[in-house]
Amino acid sequence: MNSKQWIEKGDKYIIKTYGRYPLVPVRGEGCYLWDADGKRYLDFLAGVAVNNLGHCHPRVVAALQKQAGELIHCSNFYHIPQQIELAELLCSNSFADRAFFCNSGAEANEAAIKLARKYSREKFGPERFEIITAISSFHGRTMATVSATGQEKVQRFFDPLLHGFKHVPFNDAEALRAAVTPATCAIMLEPIQGEGGVVIPSAEYFREVRRICDENNLILIFDEVQTGIGRTGKLFAHEHFDIAPDIMTLAKALAGGAPIGTMLAREAIAESFGPGTHGSTFGGNPLVTAAALAAVRTILEEDILENTLKMGTYLCQRLTDLQGKFPFITDVRGIGLIIGAELAIPGAEIVRKALEKGLLINVAQDRVLRFVPPLTVGTQEIDAMLAILEEVLTELPAAP
Ligand SMILES: *Cc1c(COP(=O)(O)O)cnc(C)c1O
């Protein structure tokens, strides 16, 4: 079937929760995707920061193929070697002592919310359950994570939301401090707001956040679902800010495209989750954890982080050059390869035109073009991306 036929059939059978672009990718390699008609696309969205190693990285493919032939799934009633090895790898490369595995970012955040509540209840009593999060944050689409998310467009239609979340302005330590009450048990933040439009707070803010948590015995939860696994040029984004959380959630890029989520925690907090307190049928099964082991080892063993920093600097520089030509680009910001170009005009048309010309990018918060290419990207692909983008911008009615 060709793309048009797939789109018509999908239109008939799929529940319309997504405003999908008219693209049917059927094959991927590195920074490129091919659609059902054989047309090639340069992918600077990478499955929304999932394909950090590019599409079908040979080490991830090999791990999946090998594991699929040995054991795809077994219950968490039993011990899973790949899961244990992945937990060790993540803990030995972070602040954390233990890991819990699930299947998505929202589920990892659910686990963090449940653990924070249970720990605080046991340690400080049942009145302590409130979690403070940031305005414009994004933590997922389940009921608890929708309640945690600081965006009206994600929350509306689903009242009553889960009780016990409070939202404060991001990158504002005073507002955070003022929101802490005896009912507060945790603070949950993204180190960089991704869906919120690539918002990067100051290192000073995070030092102050850590101080507020320490002074009040609060758990600091970092949602690194989007920023983790090398996206910012460090394995975890919070390493840029010289502080560490008590709980961290990961998902998106962790298994090189296979569905996985994890919550990592310090020992004293992790102890609160005993047998029967939380679980997931598929969480950390042999197939996905084998893929994750391959993905994380590749990032640690090859020069991926170095490339991310180098290419991030290059892409930011080139976008800043474009800003000189197109004054409706009001800001260019990023760390590593999570980069936003803020516009004075809506970005949807730019994304649509770029797609027609074979380039995949995305827009967050209506006006921030978001670039999250594979971390394996090179200058050649960045130059090719910019050539298409410049063509699109030149053809805009708003162009100078
Ligand atoms: C994508 C994302 C989530 C949700 O992850 P899912 O796998 O879609 O549930 C949560 N937090 C952040 C910061 C994200 O970017």
Side-chain angles (χ1 to χ4, degrees), residues 290-350:
L293 269 174
V296 177
R297 282 179 181 151
T298 302
I299 284 171
L300 292 172
E301 288 165 13
E302 299 181 14
D303 68 345
I304 308 277
L305 296 177
E306 202 187 304
N307 188 66
T308 304
L309 288 172
K310 230 188 299 180
M311 292 304 119
T313 306
Y314 180 68
L315 177 49
C316 258
Q317 185 51 55
R318 293 287 318 267
L319 285 169
T320 308
D321 293 346
L322 266 194
Q323 207 182 348
K325 255 190 215 172
F326 302 99
F328 55 81
I329 302 176
T330 55
D331 189 31
V332 174
R333 55 184 180 252
I335 305 186
L337 284 168
I338 178 167
I339 296 171
E342 187 154 353
L343 308 172
I345 55 172
E349 191 56 23
I350 296 171

Side-chain angles (χ1 to χ4, degrees), residues 48-279:
V48 194
V50 166
N51 300 104
N52 283 11
L53 292 170
H55 293 283
C56 295
H57 189 280
R59 287 180 70 173
V60 175
V61 171
L64 279 167
Q65 284 174 338
K66 179 169 180 289
Q67 192 58 46
E70 288 173 8
L71 182 65
I72 294 176
H73 178 79
C74 75
S75 168
N76 278 307
F77 291 173
Y78 312 115
H79 299 272
I80 300 171
Q82 295 78 11
Q83 185 186 111
I84 296 165
E85 279 203 76
L86 179 60
E88 182 189 31
L89 185 63
L90 293 172
C91 289
S92 61
N93 283 284
S94 73
F95 67 91
D97 302 303
R98 289 180 186 273
F100 167 82
F101 291 98
C102 48
N103 313 289
S104 67
E107 276 179 79
N109 288 332
E110 286 275 346
I113 291 163
K114 285 178 74 176
L115 179 59
R117 280 193 174 182
K118 184 163 186 296
Y119 170 83
S120 291
R121 159 182 291 267
E122 284 163 359
K123 189 140 197 230
F124 303 105
E127 307 77 32
R128 239 168 99 128
F129 57 84
E130 200 171 79
I131 299 177
I132 303 174
T133 70
I135 292 168
S136 295
S137 61
F138 182 77
H139 298 295
R141 296 286 194 162
T142 62
M143 277 310 303
T145 57
V146 154
S147 307
T149 291
Q151 296 189 51
E152 205 262 339
K153 70 171 190 210
V154 172
Q155 298 180 327
R156 76 186 152 155
F157 312 126
F158 302 112
D159 282 333
L161 297 177
L162 192 69
H163 174 56
F165 290 94
K166 200 186 233 175
H167 304 94
V168 299
F170 195 42
N171 200 15
D172 182 343
E174 279 327 298
L176 188 60
R177 190 181 283 282
V180 173
T181 71
T184 310
C185 83
I187 293 170
M188 177 155 138
L189 298 168
E190 297 156 89
I192 296 168
Q193 287 186 341
E195 302 307 304
V198 191
V199 184
I200 308 168
S202 66
E204 183 46 48
Y205 170 68
F206 280 117
R207 274 195 294 275
E208 195 57 26
V209 169
R210 184 69 262 186
R211 207 170 295 138
I212 293 167
C213 288
D214 292 343
E215 287 168 9
N216 297 282
N217 278 312
L218 306 177
I219 296 169
L220 180 55
I221 304 168
F222 273 166
D223 176 346
E224 291 234 23
V225 168
Q226 185 156 160
T227 55
I229 319 298
R231 176 53 55 192
T232 64
K234 300 213 185 250
L235 194 55
F236 307 115
H238 69 259
E239 296 171 36
H240 289 284
F241 302 114
D242 281 331
I243 56 144
D246 306 301
I247 294 177
M248 170 169 67
T249 55
L250 302 171
K252 289 194 163 85
L254 179 55
I260 191 172
T262 187
M263 173 191 65
L264 301 168
R266 293 184 194 276
E267 179 71 39
I269 298 166
E271 268 171 13
S272 268
F273 264 1
T277 49
H278 193 50

